[in-house]
Amino acid sequence: MINRTVLVGRLTRDPELKYTNSGRAVASFNIAVNRQFTNSQGEREADFINCVIWNKTAENFCNFTRKGSLVGIDGRIQTRSYENQQGTRIYVAEVVAENFSLLESKNSNQNEQFEQNRPQNNGQNYQNKQNGQSSPSRNPNDPFNSIPDIKDDDLPF
């Protein structure tokens, strides 16, 4: 049997991170996924799907996403039920996300600022200082040892 779900959509609110009594991280969130067709008024409708994600993946998800983030979710559909305070049985269907992908930059403005402030390498050697240590100068003609100038618009996704 197969229970696999792949969703691409936008978060409708910031993910909510909580911890169980045993210390496991769990985050719940809602994702809006556009339907492939339009309604009779020519508008595209969306489905709002409840999701949950666990452990370190949940912490990472909360650190890198917020309301409006475009994400890809890979997981499974899970159903459960519980009895509320009024004694009514409540049934819940949700996606248990096992993996996620960030499908756009966290902040487009930060990317634009980075591109504007990025030092230009006009065929000159430079030193990369990381953790207070210098790395050897790089040969700009070496295709395996240069920093490519790839813009977001150049990527196929």
Side-chain angles (χ1 to χ4, degrees):
M1 292 180 230
I2 299 173
N3 181 357
R4 206 86 215 127
T5 302
V6 177
L7 302 172
V8 174
R10 294 197 179 272
L11 297 181
T12 61
R13 57 183 165 82
D14 289 345
E16 186 178 334
L17 181 64
K18 295 181 180 179
Y19 291 89
T20 64
N21 292 336
S22 62
R24 289 181 64 195
V26 59
S28 59
F29 57 96
N30 195 278
I31 186 171
V33 180
N34 285 340
R35 293 182 179 171
Q36 293 297 317
F37 53 88
T38 58
N39 62 18
S40 59
Q41 289 81 29
E43 298 169 342
R44 191 170 299 273
E45 295 179 351
D47 293 303
F48 298 90
I49 301 168
N50 293 322
C51 301
V52 64
I53 192 166
W54 290 88
N55 300 322
K56 185 65 175 171
T57 311
E59 293 174 331
N60 289 334
F61 187 79
C62 291
N63 286 334
F64 293 107
T65 61
R66 65 178 186 272
K67 178 181 178 179
S69 295
L70 181 65
V71 296
I73 300 295
D74 174 34
R76 59 187 168 81
I77 295 174
Q78 176 177 286
T79 58
R80 60 186 171 89
S81 64
Y82 64 92
E83 200 169 297
N84 68 8
Q85 293 176 347
Q86 292 77 24
T88 307
R89 173 93 25 217
I90 304 295
Y91 295 91
V92 178
E94 60 196 357
V95 172
V96 178
E98 296 168 357
N99 298 300
F100 71 92
S101 296
L102 304 174
L103 300 179
E104 65 185 1
S105 62
K106 186 175 180 181
N107 185 344
S108 298
N109 292 336
Q110 283 180 343
N111 266 356
E112 290 171 11
Q113 288 174 354
F114 173 76
E115 287 297 323
Q116 290 171 357
N117 296 331
R118 182 175 163 199
Q120 298 296 319
N121 184 4
N122 298 325
Q124 300 173 358
N125 289 343
Y126 68 94
Q127 289 188 328
N128 181 16
K129 294 184 178 183
Q130 201 171 26
N131 297 333
Q133 298 177 347
S134 296
S135 64
S137 294
R138 296 181 181 194
N139 179 354
N141 298 323
D142 184 356
F144 298 105
N145 215 5
S146 64
I147 297 175
D149 188 22
I150 299 174
K151 296 182 176 75
D152 287 344
D153 294 340
D154 296 335
L155 298 173
F157 46 86

